[in-house]
């Protein structure tokens, strides 16, 4: 039996553009169904079909240093040399750009909605507490290419010299499963839209009754707590030093109850009973005490939910910060902006990024379960390299060998084990100094080209 994939002469190269190592997570039939529901199939296929374009957009996140044409080459690498002529079959950059515009944002958004979901089993370490699935919500800003189109839709947050971003920015508010780092829903907006507005839409869409959601101080508010309880879920968040500081009832363990009240245009006046826990941190070297840290939760019973457990539980919120670091530092290589020059392309590319992250994290979870590891122990950076290297092997293999290759990929993912995390304290400081050059402004973007030679600009001193 042949183990090498045989190419059908009647098929075009675009029919073989895919990510076969991810097909159990982002299934081809789901891709086709989404394209049908969105009425997004191409009128004429030529060299680029719409399914191949979906896989290309996802793969852009896996190969951040490669151009779009080079990413296409990576996707077809490993196919029979008799079936392709690289120069003749690789689409031009203009053709790829035009197909992306024809595809639009809706199919990528719907595909993410269809595929992304919480995946942890109840036995997964750190995924459940008090019988509830542990999730976290937080926001991140993504730098975009500084084009006129992006500036129009994603204007700068402010114009102050030392406060504004040098690039237009997209705000992404994400809902993540803490035990697996899987982002299963996201709300994209401009930086002008506050996180609370996006959070309300996100929770309404994806929070369910068996969840316990962790919130950072910038998101914690009465509106979200009321919404969480209305759904049947519970919340744990951090408070500033001013809000809800007057106890309604002191509890035996030192925490106290407060009544959170707010006014909503749709729900009217809302009141939520919550419990506030206050504590300080002691510096391990100097013994110096930190300012008072305040947590607020809808878990009211001090016997079932002790102060110590909730304080330690809140630090699981940091998992979403680590997930953002995985996306920005390891998947997108930190300082790079997104590729897309238009707002539609930005949103489309970002959903491709979320799909790629979900697929990689899902494979890491499956590998951890098979190895008996905590999902946190699987290296994300190693996983990215494994997925990148596997493309050639999967494209070369026939259909019968794919299950064997997928099992081998899961085994390869657990060849690198992340050591146990150390307890560390870091000040929130910048390592990089401010540059001595002035900030780049809009007028610096479109500098006219000089048609003469360099020496025509030289003025010699007598």
């Amino acid at each position: 039996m042949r183990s090498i994939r045989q190419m059908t002469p009647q098929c075009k190269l675009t029919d073989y553009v895919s990510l076969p190592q991810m097909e159990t997570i982002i299934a081809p039939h789901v891709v086709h169904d989404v394209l049908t529901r969105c009425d997004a199939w191409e009128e004429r296929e030529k060299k680029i079909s719409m399914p191949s374009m979906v896989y290309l957009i996802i793969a852009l996140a896996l190969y951040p240093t490669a151009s779009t044409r080079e990413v296409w080459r990576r996707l077809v690498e490993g196919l029979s040399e008799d079936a392709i002529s690289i120069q003749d079959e690789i689409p031009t950059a203009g053709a790829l750009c035009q197909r992306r515009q024809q595809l639009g944002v809706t199919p990528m958004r719907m595909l993410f909605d269809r595929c992304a979901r919480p995946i942890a089993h109840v036995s997964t370490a750190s995924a459940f507490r008090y019988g509830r699935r542990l999730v976290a919500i937080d926001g991140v800003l993504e730098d975009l290419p500084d084009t006129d189109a992006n500036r129009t839709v994603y204007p700068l947050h402010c114009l102050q010299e030392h406060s504004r971003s040098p690039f237009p920015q997209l705000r992404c508010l994400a809902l993540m499963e803490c035990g697996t780092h899987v982002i299963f829903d996201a709300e994209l907006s401009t930086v002008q839209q506050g996180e609370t507005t996006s959070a309300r839409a996100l929770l309404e869409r994806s929070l369910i009754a068996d969840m316990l959601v962790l919130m950072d101080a910038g998101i914690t508010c009465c509106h979200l707590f009321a919404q969480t309880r209305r759904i049947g879920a519970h919340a744990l968040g951090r408070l500033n030093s001013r809000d809800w500081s007057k106890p309604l009832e002191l509890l035996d363990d030192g925490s106290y109850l407060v009544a959170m009240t707010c006014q909503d245009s749709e729900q009217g006046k809302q009141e939520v009973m919550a419990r506030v826990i206050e504590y300080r941190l002691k510096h391990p070297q100097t013994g110096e005490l930190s300012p008072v840290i305040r947590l607020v939760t809808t878990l009211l019973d001090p016997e079932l939910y002790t102060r110590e457990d909730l304080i330690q539980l809140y630090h699981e919120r940091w998992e979403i910060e680590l997930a953002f670091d995985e996306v920005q530092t390891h998947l997108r290589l930190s300082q790079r902006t997104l590729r897309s020059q238009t707002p539609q392309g930005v949103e489309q590319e970002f959903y491709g990024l979320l799909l790629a992250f979900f697929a990689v994290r899902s494979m890491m979870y499956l590998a951890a379960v098979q190895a008996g590891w905590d999902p946190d122990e699987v290296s994300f950076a190693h996983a990215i390299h494994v997925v990148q290297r596997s493309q050639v092997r999967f494209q070369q293999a026939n259909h019968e060998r794919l299950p064997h290759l997928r099992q081998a990929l899961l085994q390869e993912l657990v060849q690198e084990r992340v050591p146990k995390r150390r307890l560390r304290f870091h000040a929130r400081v910048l390592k990089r100094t401010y540059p001595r050059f002035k900030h780049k402004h809009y007028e610096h973007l479109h500098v006219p080209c000089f048609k003469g030679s360099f020496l025509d600009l030289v003025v010699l001193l007598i």
Side-chain angles (χ1 to χ4, degrees):
M1 183 179 67
R2 292 178 180 269
S3 60
I4 302 298
R5 187 178 191 176
Q6 299 301 304
M7 311 292 291
T8 305
Q10 294 80 11
C11 292
K12 298 180 180 180
L13 178 63
T14 186
D15 298 327
Y16 296 95
V17 175
S18 65
L19 292 165
Q21 65 272 54
M22 297 182 179
E23 284 184 354
T24 56
I25 301 164
I26 306 173
H29 74 271
V30 176
V31 174
H32 292 184
D33 183 58
V34 165
L35 291 173
T36 300
R37 288 175 178 272
C38 296
D39 194 21
W41 288 96
E42 67 281 350
E43 294 183 3
R44 292 188 300 167
E45 186 176 272
K46 294 188 177 181
K47 292 183 179 180
I48 313 171
S49 66
M50 284 307 184
S52 68
M53 184 53 57
V54 170
Y55 291 120
L56 176 68
I57 293 170
I58 297 172
L60 291 177
L62 298 175
Y63 303 98
T65 61
S67 67
T68 305
R69 294 191 76 207
E70 181 60 27
V71 173
W72 183 279
R73 290 188 180 95
R74 302 283 180 92
L75 292 180
V76 299
E77 192 174 10
L79 294 175
S80 172
E81 294 182 359
D82 297 335
I84 61 174
S85 171
I86 293 296
Q87 296 302 322
D88 294 339
E89 295 291 339
I90 300 300
T92 65
L96 292 171
C97 181
Q98 184 179 23
R99 265 293 191 253
R100 283 190 62 186
Q101 293 174 353
Q102 293 171 352
L103 179 64
V105 178
T106 304
M108 298 303 297
R109 184 191 300 118
M110 183 179 290
L111 183 61
F112 177 70
D113 292 341
R114 289 278 297 272
C115 295
R117 66 195 184 283
I119 60 175
H121 187 264
V122 291
S123 60
T124 304
S126 303
F128 289 80
R129 293 291 175 87
Y130 310 122
R132 295 180 176 273
R133 189 182 300 272
L134 199 59
V135 301
I137 185 170
D138 204 358
V140 65
L141 298 178
E142 293 289 345
D143 290 338
L144 312 178
D146 200 353
T147 64
D148 291 341
N150 284 343
R151 274 175 169 264
T152 301
V153 176
Y154 300 102
L156 298 177
H157 184 57
C158 68
L159 299 178
Q160 296 178 5
E161 184 74 11
H162 293 291
S163 300
R164 70 177 181 86
S165 167
F167 298 97
Q169 289 183 313
L170 165 77
R171 186 192 299 280
C172 170
L173 206 76
L175 195 58
M176 186 203 76
E177 185 178 46
C178 294
T180 61
H181 285 203
V182 160
I183 294 175
F184 59 94
D185 201 359
E187 181 77 11
L188 308 185
S189 68
T190 67
V191 291
Q192 276 70 31
Q193 179 169 307
E195 287 187 333
T196 303
T197 303
S198 297
R200 295 177 74 174
L202 199 59
L203 296 182
E204 191 65 37
R205 192 165 60 229
S206 297
L207 195 68
I208 58 177
D210 72 339
M211 291 181 175
L212 170 56
V213 59
L214 305 179
M215 304 178 185
D216 132 340
I219 296 178
T220 300
C221 67
C222 175
H223 292 286
L224 296 184
F225 268 51
Q227 183 178 12
T228 300
R229 291 304 298 132
R230 191 168 62 250
I231 293 171
H234 280 279
L236 172 63
R238 185 166 176 174
L239 278 179
N240 58 35
S241 59
R242 303 178 305 276
D243 293 339
W244 298 294
S245 57
K246 295 182 179 180
L248 192 66
E249 179 185 345
L250 292 175
L251 301 178
D252 293 338
D253 66 343
S255 60
Y256 56 88
L257 299 181
V258 295
M260 303 174 72
T261 57
C262 55
Q263 193 72 27
D264 189 276
S265 58
E266 296 180 358
Q267 301 292 332
K269 185 178 180 180
Q270 301 179 90
E271 182 173 305
V272 181
M273 190 63 68
R275 176 179 166 211
V276 175
I277 299 169
E278 297 180 342
Y279 64 100
R280 296 176 185 265
L281 290 178
K282 182 174 67 175
H283 195 284
Q285 277 81 40
T286 65
E288 182 182 356
L289 294 179
S290 72
V292 175
I293 299 171
R294 307 175 69 228
L295 302 182
V296 61
T297 180
T298 56
L299 301 170
L300 305 181
D301 192 329
E303 294 185 1
L304 292 177
Y305 317 107
T306 65
R307 288 189 303 174
E308 293 79 7
D309 284 349
L310 291 176
I311 290 170
Q312 187 167 5
L313 174 61
Y314 180 71
H315 286 270
E316 291 294 319
R317 193 203 68 80
W318 192 252
E319 298 298 327
I320 196 170
E321 304 288 356
L322 296 178
F324 289 153
D325 174 74
E326 290 167 353
V327 171
Q328 294 185 314
T329 303
H330 301 294
L331 199 56
R332 288 199 40 241
L333 302 184
S334 197
Q335 297 298 322
R336 296 173 180 272
T337 66
L338 295 178
R339 304 167 184 257
S340 303
Q341 307 291 309
T342 64
Q344 175 181 271
V346 163
E347 195 171 347
Q348 181 192 72
E349 180 184 351
F350 200 82
Y351 279 113
L353 174 69
L354 292 174
L355 281 163
F357 183 72
F358 175 79
V360 173
R361 264 291 165 188
S362 297
M363 288 187 285
M364 291 171 63
Y365 172 71
L366 293 175
V369 169
Q370 289 189 8
W373 290 9
D374 186 317
D376 289 343
E377 296 179 296
V378 184
S379 169
F380 183 81
H382 173 65
I384 292 298
H385 297 313
V386 170
V387 172
Q388 290 172 341
R389 290 196 308 268
S390 68
Q391 181 68 19
V392 175
R393 298 197 301 271
F394 276 84
Q395 285 287 41
Q396 288 176 338
N398 61 20
H399 184 73
E400 288 75 16
R401 288 197 66 224
L402 291 182
H404 171 75
L405 287 180
R406 292 192 183 103
Q407 183 60 37
L409 185 146
L410 296 181
Q411 294 172 356
E412 190 177 356
L413 287 175
V414 292
Q415 289 179 357
E416 297 289 338
R417 193 167 191 168
V418 177
K420 186 178 180 180
R421 293 179 193 163
R422 296 168 292 166
L423 183 61
R424 296 181 292 177
F425 292 82
H426 285 286
R428 304 191 75 171
V429 294
L430 289 175
K431 189 171 184 179
R432 298 179 185 272
T433 59
Y434 281 109
R436 59 189 177 89
F437 303 104
K438 294 182 179 180
H439 282 269
K440 191 173 186 177
H441 292 286
Y442 183 76
E443 59 268 18
H444 299 137
L445 295 178
H446 306 290
V447 180
C449 295
F450 183 66
K451 296 183 179 180
S453 69
F454 171 69
L455 288 178
D456 292 338
L457 302 175
V458 175
V459 179
L460 296 175
L461 301 179
I462 300 176

